[in-house]
Every structure is written in C-alpha cells, then in structure tokens.
Amino acid sequence: MRLQVVGELEPFWIPVSNFRVTPIVALSDRLQAWRPDPREVARVIDAPLAAFLPDAPITTLERDVREWRIRYGAYALEELGDGPAVWGATARILGQLGAIVGGTPDAHQAR
C-alpha cells in the first residue's frame, strides 16, 4: 500500500488528556483491511464522508462523567440518533476535513 501525505489540519490541544494533536491527511492507493484488536475496539464503523460535511446535522448529547453532567455536540451516524455518534477530538478532526472537502470558504486549508 502506498500513502501520499497531502497536508495537515489545524493542530489543537485536548485539555483532559493534555495531548496536542496534529491531524495528518493522506491518500492511499487502496483500501486497507481492518484488523481491530478486540481488547481495544468494540466496533468498526464505516462512516460516509457526507456525515461530516458542513451541512451535516449535529446533535446534542448528554451524559454523566464522574460527578458532572456534560452536554456536547456530536455527529449522529444514524437517523434517529440512537446509534453511534462521533464527538470530541474525532468530531473536531472529521469536521475540519469535511469543511475542506465541502468547500467551506472559511475552512482552514490543509497545509
């Protein structure tokens, strides 16, 4: 498999983990077969890029984390919102990619 790096998205810091993330965008000449480690991955979801384009719906979810009730935006991957949702750092990265692919004029361009 050959990868071609085409750029990077806007770097950001995740306060909870204290990680700085720099998303790298690359193209592959073929689709790689997934072999998730069952100790780390419960389910692999093939989400369409359209789910992260600028006009994609964002739903508001709530959950309890430790003693706090948090509310956050997420990309629901099934119509009724009962299925998987992409949120947090992953949503931020895929939203940036969707903005670039979708041609949003204010999108931070891949460098």
Side-chain angles (χ1 to χ4, degrees):
M1 174 172 60
R2 215 181 77 180
L3 289 176
Q4 177 186 358
V5 174
V6 294
E8 66 181 52
L9 301 177
E10 183 179 330
F12 61 95
W13 173 59
I14 304 172
V16 174
S17 63
N18 199 29
F19 287 128
R20 181 166 172 79
V21 177
T22 302
I24 303 298
V25 179
L27 300 175
S28 173
D29 60 352
R30 65 184 165 94
L31 185 61
Q32 180 68 28
W34 294 104
R35 283 174 269 160
D37 185 330
R39 296 171 298 176
E40 298 179 356
V41 178
R43 178 178 171 193
V44 173
I45 300 167
D46 286 323
L49 182 58
F52 309 103
L53 293 177
D55 60 349
I58 296 176
T59 188
T60 301
L61 301 175
E62 289 186 8
R63 68 189 273 195
D64 293 322
V65 176
R66 299 182 191 109
E67 305 88 45
W68 298 300
R69 182 84 172 156
I70 62 169
R71 179 182 291 202
Y72 54 93
Y75 293 99
L77 298 180
E78 292 179 4
E79 278 185 39
L80 301 177
D82 294 334
V86 176
W87 61 283
T90 305
R92 182 173 179 152
I93 292 166
L94 293 173
Q96 282 186 48
L97 181 61
I100 291 168
V101 171
T104 302
D106 295 333
H108 177 62
Q109 299 299 312
R111 307 182 237 171

